[in-house]
């Protein structure tokens, strides 16, 4: 039999594939070591970690088969010259090129994970492709995270060394009928195994294993990212079909729950042509603001926002607010158009060129001057294009600022400089204005201007000094703006795009991974202040602004006014840990897209006690509300019903 069964070649193939499992395991160990706090490792024993790594082999198998399908095929072709040096060299290209790309993805997430608190997917390319200063960002990454490159090259060298240790022996096969018969049978058997390996199950009635299935092997949802590997997540989302029509509920259910057409008109209340300024602060999670954490009872808590804390005493603040996305590009449509982002960002979907009604387009019709300020290179994060879609009349970026002496060297103009520029620009406006500014300085690589290094020293995480600096920049803006004629007739809204570096355990909990501040300040109305602890979210900001202006026409928004008690009750919807989260009343519902996977008390912020089997009467309404929102969201986007007139067709 040894003359016609290629035992040595099968052993070599198995050895080379096992090397890939070894690489995945090593990068998973490094991933855990560098993100132990976010992954709640302190609550797990060695046995628990061993099981997580073991379950991870299933997901490793999927990515390994996908990346090596051609390598496996060309290693199994029944050819006598398979062991020849030239053929093996060509074969090595099919092995090393795709798997090196996979290794790069796994290495990148060793450090990138702490910024997103989720394994990267194919949408990581969204963040990269729209950056005009890619080389600068890459060089900054190289300097700040040099050790990741060390990990990569050490693993690459070790991998190549081990690969060369075992080579196929020169064969002496008899190429008769038996040789081809056994070769074909064994090849078909290996590909059958590979088929089940890609599916992650021997049961062909089950759908192929996906990102969400990692949650099946963990008690703490954050640890699902240990089970996963980044290559798997990228591969599984390459052909992301998250934008497809849903048919969960009836038309009546949609009409009686989400109510996307809003109308705040009241007899005798004319439209107020007040100015509006919206601050979207980069990475400014709720954790950093003392005024938003007074009832959290966090041990040894330190606030990094003395100015915003003082402003909060004169403002309305919403201390239970959340983002509707996890990236900067998600925040713009959420805050300004009431359009959240779930599995795939709306801004990178095929439907982005749809006519959209937003707070910008509404106020354009009312004769407002509308402007967007972002101190980064024009076009960064696709903001320039998005501003055109939302309807902004003016865009002020790095080009318009026109002074590279104030450039931070990586992202854009320092906040304290750019905020002053915005004040000067707004003061030249001759009619009511709506302005949005997206800050840049509270971002990796977490640096402050040289002249402030002694003033804003390191905190418990690198971002803390940047939070202090941006808070100071806001203070200087408001000091200057308060002297302008337009100041007292202005509504100021301050929120964040998403969270970033976490220090306190309270904010490592699943619910709080998307916790952001919402603050509304009206200097012309000293009695306008208070604290609201109801559910709130970014998509509520757009309708809230129009409500405060006493806007008297119907408009389309999935959010709700934070001050109007006559419409939809407070709720929050977002997509975290590969599931929808829907918060309403006293409960949190998690929904996979196919079925409800859990109900939790709103006080159970780490989702430790699943109430799904208790079948409480509130659960059915929450499920219908959640499904109605998601169905109307996707169907309206696909049908391009995102403006006022079209929104009446609810789908």
């Amino acid at each position: 039999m040894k003359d016609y069964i290629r035992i040595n070649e099968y052993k070599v193939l198995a050895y080379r594939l096992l090397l890939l499992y070894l690489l995945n395991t090593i990068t998973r160990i490094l991933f855990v070591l560098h993100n132990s706090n976010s992954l709640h490792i302190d609550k797990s024993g060695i046995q628990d970690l061993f099981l997580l790594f073991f379950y991870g082999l299933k997901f490793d198998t999927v990515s390994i088969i996908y990346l090596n399908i051609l390598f496996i095929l060309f290693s199994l072709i029944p050819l006598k010259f398979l062991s020849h040096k030239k053929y093996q060299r060509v074969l090595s290209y099919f092995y090393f090129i795709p798997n090196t790309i996979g290794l790069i993805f796994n290495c990148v997430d060793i450090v990138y994970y702490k910024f997103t608190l989720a394994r990267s997917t194919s949408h990581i390319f969204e963040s990269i492709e729209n950056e005009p200063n890619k080389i600068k960002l890459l060089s900054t990454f190289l300097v700040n995270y040099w050790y990741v490159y060390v990990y990569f090259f050490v693993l690459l060298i070790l991998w190549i060394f081990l690969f060369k240790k075992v080579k196929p022996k020169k064969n002496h096969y008899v190429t008769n009928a038996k040789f081809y018969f056994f070769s074909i049978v064994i090849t078909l058997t290996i590909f059958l195994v590979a088929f089940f390996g890609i599916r992650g199950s021997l049961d062909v009635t089950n759908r192929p294993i996906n990102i969400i299935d990692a949650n099946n092997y963990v008690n703490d949802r954050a640890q699902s990212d240990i089970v996963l590997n980044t290559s798997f997540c990228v591969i599984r989302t390459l052909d992301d079909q998250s934008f497809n029509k849903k048919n969960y509920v009836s038309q009546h259910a949609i009409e009686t729950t989400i109510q996307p057409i809003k109308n705040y008109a009241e007899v005798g209340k004319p439209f107020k042509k007040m100015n509006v300024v919206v601050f979207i602060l980069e990475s400014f999670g709720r954790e950093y603001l003392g005024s938003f954490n007074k009832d959290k009872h966090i041990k040894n808590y330190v606030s990094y926002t003395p100015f915003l804390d003082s402003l909060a005493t004169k403002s309305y603040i919403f201390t239970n607010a959340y983002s509707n996305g996890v990236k900067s590009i998600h925040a713009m449509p959420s805050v300004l158009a009431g359009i959240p982002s779930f599995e795939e960002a709306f801004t990178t979907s095929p439907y982005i060129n749809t006519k959209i009604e937003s707070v910008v387009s509404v106020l354009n019709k009312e004769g407002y001057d509308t402007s967007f300020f972002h101190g980064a290179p024009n076009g960064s994060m696709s903001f320039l294009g998005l501003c055109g879609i939302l309807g902004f009349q003016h865009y002020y970026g790095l080009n318009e600022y026109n002074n590279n002496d104030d450039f931070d060297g990586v992202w854009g103009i320092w906040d304290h400089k750019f905020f002053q520029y915005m004040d000067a620009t707004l003061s030249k406006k001759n009619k009511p204005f709506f302005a949005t500014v997206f800050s840049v300085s509270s971002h990796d690589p977490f640096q402050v201007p040289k002249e402030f290094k002694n003033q804003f020293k390191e905190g418990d995480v690198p971002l803390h000094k940047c939070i202090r600096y941006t808070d100071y920049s806001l203070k200087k803006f408001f000091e200057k703006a308060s002297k302008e004629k337009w100041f007292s007739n202005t509504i100021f809204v301050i929120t964040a795009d998403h969270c970033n570096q976490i220090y306190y355990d309270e904010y490592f909990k699943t619910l709080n991974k998307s916790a952001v501040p919402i603050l509304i300040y009206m200097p012309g109305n000293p009695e306008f202040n208070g604290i609201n602890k109801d559910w709130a979210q970014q998509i509520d900001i757009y309708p809230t602004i129009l409500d405060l202006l006493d806007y008297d026409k119907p408009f389309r928004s999935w959010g709700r006014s934070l001050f109007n008690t006559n419409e939809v009750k407070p709720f929050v919807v977002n997509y975290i840990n590969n599931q929808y989260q829907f918060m309403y009343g006293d409960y949190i519902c998690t929904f996979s897209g196919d079925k409800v996977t859990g109900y939790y008390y709103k006080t159970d912020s780490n989702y430790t006690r699943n109430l799904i089997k208790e079948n409480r009467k509130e659960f059915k309404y929450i499920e219908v509300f959640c499904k109605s929102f998601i169905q109307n969201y996707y169907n309206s986007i696909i049908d391009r019903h995102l403006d006022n007139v079209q929104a009446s067709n609810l789908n």
Side-chain angles (χ1 to χ4, degrees), residues 4 28 36 85-86 225 345 357 488 539 575:
Y4 48 82
R28 184 174 278 114
S36 57
K85 185 178 292 186
K86 288 184 178 179
D225 289 317
E357 186 171 54
S488 61
I539 64 172
Y575 191 82

Side-chain angles (χ1 to χ4, degrees), residues 31 213 263 288:
F31 173 79
D213 295 305
N263 192 340
Y288 312 128

Side-chain angles (χ1 to χ4, degrees), residues 403-416:
N403 185 358
N404 285 339
D405 290 341
D406 297 330
F407 183 62
D408 65 11
V410 180
W411 284 106
I413 303 301
W414 292 111
D415 282 349
H416 78 288

Side-chain angles (χ1 to χ4, degrees), residues 533-550:
K533 298 181 181 180
D534 289 336
W535 298 114
Q537 55 191 325
Q538 289 171 333
I539 64 172
D540 294 336
I541 291 173
Y542 158 32
T544 298
I545 291 171
L546 294 187
D547 190 17
L548 290 173
L549 294 174
D550 290 325

Side-chain angles (χ1 to χ4, degrees), residues 2 68 163 284 306 315 469 491-492 539 626 650:
K2 65 181 180 180
N68 292 276
F163 177 87
F284 232 84
S315 307
Y469 161 68
I491 299 171
F492 294 94
I539 64 172
C626 174
L650 294 176

